[in-house]
Amino acid sequence: MLENVLKHKTPSIGDRIECSGHLGTIKYVGPVDGYSSTWLGIDWDDSERGKHDGNVNGKRYFTASHPKSGSFVRPEKVQLGQTTISAITSRYGRHDDELTAKFHEQQLLSI
């Protein structure tokens, strides 16, 4: 049930996303000059994944964390709904032992 809610969630600034196996954070939602429809400005976790820093053709849409970590993608191309725990785990590593992983998850949830 929760999975269905997350799949149909409207993209918002700050949401974590996955697209073609790459993870990132939405930094902009809206139009891009010269293109139709709504776009998502993504700051990719991989600093070389994108094409710019959020400034395109002299217009600043968002500020990416690195000179080449930003790009725009169509909303239908991304998967929304990654939890904070999942994002932290995928970014900083996994635990081999399920009991240890559960313990650390509980610690994170209590913050």
Side-chain angles (χ1 to χ4, degrees), residues 10-15 17 25-32 37-42 61-62 72-73 75 80:
T10 302
S12 299
I13 293 172
D15 285 350
I17 59 94
T25 303
I26 298 175
K27 296 289 194 162
Y28 173 82
V29 178
V32 175
S37 194
T38 297
W39 290 81
L40 302 178
I42 307 297
Y61 291 92
F62 63 95
F72 288 103
V73 296
L80 295 171

Side-chain angles (χ1 to χ4, degrees), residues 54-65:
N55 187 332
V56 178
N57 296 327
K59 183 173 181 179
R60 168 86 41 210
Y61 291 92
F62 63 95
T63 301
S65 56

Side-chain angles (χ1 to χ4, degrees), residues 12 29 33 49 77 79 83 88-89 93 98:
S12 299
V29 178
D33 289 348
R49 167 76 171 95
K77 298 286 185 183
Q79 296 295 316
T83 66
I88 291 170
T89 302
E98 187 175 329

Side-chain angles (χ1 to χ4, degrees), residues 2 7 16 20 22 29 32 35 43-44 48 50 64-65 68 70 82 89 91 95 99 102 106 110:
L2 178 59
K7 283 183 181 179
R16 296 284 295 160
S20 301
H22 297 276
V29 178
V32 175
Y35 298 92
D43 187 14
W44 299 104
E48 297 296 316
S65 56
K68 295 278 186 177
Q82 184 180 29
T89 302
R91 174 81 177 186
H95 301 283
L99 182 61
K102 260 305 192 207
Q106 289 303 316
S110 69

